[in-house]
Amino acid sequence: MGKIKIYLDNCCFNRPYDDQSFIKIKIETEAKIFIQTQIKEGRFHLIWSYILDYENDSNPYANRKNSILKWKYLSEEDIEENSDILKTVEELEKNKIFGKDALHIACAIYSKVDFFITTDYNLIRKASSLNNLKVINPVDFINIEEEFRKWEQATRF
């Protein structure tokens, strides 16, 4: 199997800056850092987009903004706005997914990612009805990916 294509939304990139005294946040942060290590090692194919640029540019903390921006240069694809994305946004709005969330998801669908990774549980719930995209949190993504890797190794001849 080739590289797994993933899209991390802005809240996922910002997870390490959230209050780490909550175990759920700490575990999601560790999972997100593991995913980023795997991106650097070439295991995952990171997708970036113009909406990530927009949200990151709005970050009032320069150190966070600069740290997140580095991932743009490690991505293998940078999605720009186009008519297909805007048409997908209109469809997503019918599923009650609006604004920046709709733009992120539309970019991921346009790029045909395997997984859209977010720490926004409301977005995960809203996107559960989408047939063309798996929206998941970082911890669940690692669990699925590791199970698949075990299966892949067990079925090799």
Side-chain angles (χ1 to χ4, degrees):
M1 178 180 178
K3 286 186 201 176
I4 297 171
K5 283 179 80 170
I6 61 173
Y7 185 106
L8 282 68
D9 73 353
N10 193 55
C11 66
C12 194
F13 277 110
N14 278 287
R15 188 48 115 195
Y17 304 107
D18 294 333
D19 184 349
Q20 298 297 306
S21 68
F22 295 96
I23 190 65
K24 180 179 173 182
I25 291 172
K26 186 169 183 59
I27 290 169
E28 287 176 346
T29 297
E30 291 300 319
K32 183 256 191 188
I33 290 169
F34 174 80
I35 292 166
Q36 288 180 310
T37 300
Q38 297 298 301
I39 291 166
K40 286 180 180 177
E41 292 177 2
R43 184 168 177 82
F44 302 138
H45 182 109
L46 178 64
I47 305 304
W48 191 266
S49 72
Y50 71 99
I51 189 63
L52 281 167
D53 281 330
Y54 174 79
E55 282 194 299
N56 194 46
D57 286 346
S58 300
N59 192 326
Y61 303 101
N63 64 326
R64 296 177 189 186
K65 183 189 307 189
N66 294 333
S67 178
I68 293 168
L69 182 60
K70 291 176 184 175
W71 290 99
K72 176 179 183 168
Y73 304 107
L74 292 172
S75 68
E76 296 186 33
E77 191 175 347
D78 186 1
I79 306 299
E80 294 296 328
E81 184 176 86
N82 61 56
S83 60
D84 290 336
I85 289 170
L86 297 178
K87 186 176 179 181
T88 301
V89 166
E90 291 176 14
E91 293 298 314
L92 291 167
E93 289 174 346
K94 294 175 186 174
N95 287 313
K96 308 285 188 243
I97 301 171
F98 300 101
K100 293 178 273 188
D101 289 340
L103 289 167
H104 282 296
I105 288 180
C107 288
I109 290 170
Y110 177 80
S111 181
K112 297 179 173 71
V113 300
D114 298 301
F115 293 93
F116 180 99
I117 304 171
T118 183
T119 57
D120 182 340
Y121 285 87
N122 190 38
L123 180 56
I124 292 169
R125 184 185 48 76
K126 287 180 186 177
S128 66
S129 63
L130 299 177
N131 295 325
N132 51 351
L133 184 65
K134 180 68 176 162
V135 179
I136 193 167
N137 81 26
V139 175
D140 290 339
F141 170 74
I142 287 176
N143 288 333
I144 289 170
E145 195 276 332
E146 284 185 348
E147 286 302 314
F148 178 77
R149 201 165 3 125
K150 286 180 197 173
W151 174 84
E152 194 176 48
Q153 290 171 349
T155 58
R156 275 193 208 143
F157 298 8

